[in-house]
């Protein structure tokens, strides 16, 4: 059966740890030698983007190149209907049934999780979800890579705190913490909690969900945040700006965590909204190392799907 990665739970603990270890090796190999073993030689990655991207698009395109293959970036001027939505020019199953003949992996960043699931259902080649309304698994793998390098693995008493919107990024992080047994505490404003179906799918109970950011970050080793206004929600800008007051990751909030706390953000950051300049650029921030991790993870994922 074709292995798709439409959500982080498509991978088990062993597979996640293997991808993290391969990513580390591929990173070391590239730094030491300037090249990588060609695990994607003569292979092609189709990258469909209904929404913009800097890190995901560039990391996967460079990863395909370094591994001896090629990536094609498909956006609204190519296969999508006007407005950037996949549905419109032709059906999603038809897109999958065409791309599977030309390419070896399909990656897609879409508005709706249903689009990813439909692509996967109709594709004989692996489909990677590079962000939808519910999940952002490739980001989570880079987050885990970053955490495992900071703490030499995932120590039993490690505590991750997430402060902000109950969005795709934290949904995937939450599910990964559940798989790996990492403690996570999540504070969102009332009305912006993670979807019930995500919370209910956790198997281990090593999490706490609340509305008070100061409680969530108490004794935290990591504070993670993301934008308050995810792509596609721009119309809610004013309301969200109002509703998220008190959820900013700033110096005051950090004073409630361990002094050694590491601050993470998947980026793009909206400086002055969910995070302040002094925190994102300060000594506790690992945000840019986290972004750098997208490349080795992209390489390890392509290797994983080709093996
Ligand atoms: N974090 C992340 O996915 O970045 P992009 O939106 O730039 O790809
Ligand atoms: N939650 C954000 C993540 C961006 C990488 C969004 O969906 O826009």
């Amino acid at each position: 059966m074709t292995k798709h990665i439409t959500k982080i739970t498509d991978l088990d603990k062993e597979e996640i740890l293997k991808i993290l270890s391969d990513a580390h090796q591929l990173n070391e190999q590239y730094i030491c030698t300037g090249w990588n073993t060609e695990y994607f030689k003569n292979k092609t990655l189709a990258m469909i983007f209904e929404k913009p991207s800097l890190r995901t698009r560039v990391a996967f395109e460079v990863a395909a190149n370094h591994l001896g293959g090629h990536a094609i970036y498909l956006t609204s001027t190519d296969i999508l209907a006007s407005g950037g939505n996949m549905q419109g020019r032709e059906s999603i199953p038809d897109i999958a049934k065409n791309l599977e003949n030309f390419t070896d992996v399909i990656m897609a960043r879409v508005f709706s999780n249903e689009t990813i699931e439909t692509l996967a259902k109709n594709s004989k080649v692996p489909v990677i979800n590079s962000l939808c309304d519910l999940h952002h698994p490739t980001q989570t793998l880079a987050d885990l890579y970053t955490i495992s390098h900071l703490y030499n693995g995932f120590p039993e008493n490690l505590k991750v705190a997430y402060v902000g919107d109950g969005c795709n990024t934290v949904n995937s992080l939450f599910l990964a913490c559940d798989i790996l047994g990492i403690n996570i505490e999540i504070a969102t404003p009332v009305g912006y909690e993670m979807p019930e179906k995500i919370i209910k799918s956790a198997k281990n109970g090593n999490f706490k969900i609340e509305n008070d950011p100061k409680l969530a970050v108490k004794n935290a080793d990591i504070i993670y945040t993301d934008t308050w206004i995810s792509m596609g929600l721009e119309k809610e800008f004013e309301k969200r700006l109002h509703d998220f007051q008190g959820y900013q990751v700033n110096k005051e909030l950090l004073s409630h965590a361990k002094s050694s706390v590491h601050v993470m953000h998947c980026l793009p950051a909206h400086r002055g909204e969910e995070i302040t300049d002094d925190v994102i650029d300060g000594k506790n921030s690992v945000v840019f190392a986290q972004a750098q991790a997208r490349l080795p993870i992209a390489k390890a994922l392509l290797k994983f799907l080709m093996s």
Side-chain angles (χ1 to χ4, degrees):
M1 225 171 74
T2 308
K3 180 80 175 169
H4 301 294
I5 302 176
T6 65
K7 51 195 176 306
I8 196 73
T9 49
D10 288 335
L11 298 165
D12 62 24
K13 181 173 178 175
E14 201 183 318
E15 289 169 326
I16 290 176
L17 295 178
K18 170 81 177 127
I19 289 168
L20 298 184
S21 136
D22 281 355
H24 177 72
Q25 279 171 20
L26 286 160
N27 198 39
E28 292 289 302
Q29 184 188 44
Y30 194 79
I31 289 168
C32 294
T33 65
W35 54 268
N36 279 132
T37 308
E38 295 190 318
Y39 293 109
F40 205 58
K41 191 172 171 59
N42 295 331
K43 306 283 184 197
T44 303
L45 167 70
M47 305 192 298
I48 303 169
F49 279 85
E50 287 184 343
K51 303 178 185 181
S53 168
L54 175 85
R55 283 148 290 273
T56 310
R57 184 249 167 120
V58 176
F60 273 89
E61 189 159 340
V62 172
N65 286 340
H66 285 184
L67 298 187
H70 181 66
I72 304 174
Y73 180 57
L74 298 163
T75 182
S76 49
T77 50
D78 305 301
I79 61 164
L80 310 181
S82 59
N85 199 303
M86 272 178 81
Q87 239 152 351
R89 188 163 183 269
E90 59 192 302
S91 79
I92 294 160
D94 286 359
I95 292 175
K97 285 176 182 145
N98 278 274
L99 286 177
E100 69 180 7
N101 295 316
F102 307 131
T103 67
D104 303 279
V105 179
I106 301 170
M107 188 172 86
R109 168 167 290 195
V110 298
F111 286 94
S112 163
N113 179 245
E114 212 186 309
T115 306
I116 281 288
E117 294 298 340
T118 308
L119 270 176
K121 213 168 118 196
N122 289 279
S123 170
K124 290 194 196 77
V125 301
V127 171
I128 303 175
N129 179 355
S130 60
L131 184 147
C132 68
D133 54 344
L134 273 186
H135 301 285
H136 197 1
T138 66
Q139 177 64 52
T140 297
L141 290 168
D143 301 340
L144 295 173
Y145 180 94
T146 310
I147 295 171
S148 72
H149 280 79
L150 288 170
Y151 294 95
N152 199 18
F154 304 103
E156 213 179 306
N157 54 357
L158 186 78
K159 178 182 169 183
V160 178
Y162 177 89
V163 175
D165 188 22
C167 66
N168 44 17
T169 302
V170 68
N171 290 344
S172 292
L173 182 68
F174 169 83
L175 292 170
C177 286
D178 185 55
I179 295 169
L180 297 179
I182 301 169
N183 308 302
I184 184 164
E185 204 158 324
I186 295 163
T188 63
V190 175
Y192 295 95
E193 293 86 0
M194 296 191 306
E196 269 300 303
K197 65 176 170 188
I198 298 283
I199 300 171
K200 283 202 172 128
S201 62
K203 296 190 172 66
N204 288 317
N206 50 324
F207 65 87
K208 203 170 161 200
I209 293 174
E210 61 212 349
N211 302 114
D212 183 345
K214 290 188 182 74
L215 268 185
V217 304
K218 193 161 183 257
N219 292 323
D221 298 289
I222 291 159
I223 299 177
Y224 197 125
T225 191
D226 186 12
T227 181
W228 296 336
I229 301 123
S230 284
M231 291 179 278
L233 298 177
E234 291 78 9
K235 279 194 195 125
E236 299 177 24
F237 182 82
E238 294 300 336
K239 178 169 166 41
R240 281 176 171 259
L241 225 50
H242 171 268
D243 294 350
F244 281 85
Q245 288 314 305
Y247 288 81
Q248 186 183 63
V249 175
N250 53 30
K251 272 269 154 67
E252 208 283 313
L253 188 66
L254 259 60
S255 72
H256 297 270
K258 288 182 180 167
S259 57
S260 58
V261 71
H262 291 106
V263 175
M264 297 179 70
H265 190 311
C266 64
L267 301 177
H270 301 78
R271 289 164 175 261
E273 292 176 23
E274 75 277 2
I275 194 162
T276 52
D277 282 334
D278 56 351
V279 169
I280 197 171
D281 298 325
K283 65 177 174 43
N284 301 85
S285 171
V286 292
V287 165
F288 296 100
Q290 184 188 353
Q292 192 276 330
R294 301 298 306 271
L295 178 58
I297 285 296
K299 290 178 182 179
L301 258 181
L302 292 179
K303 174 180 184 243
F304 175 77
L305 291 174
M306 289 301 101
S307 59

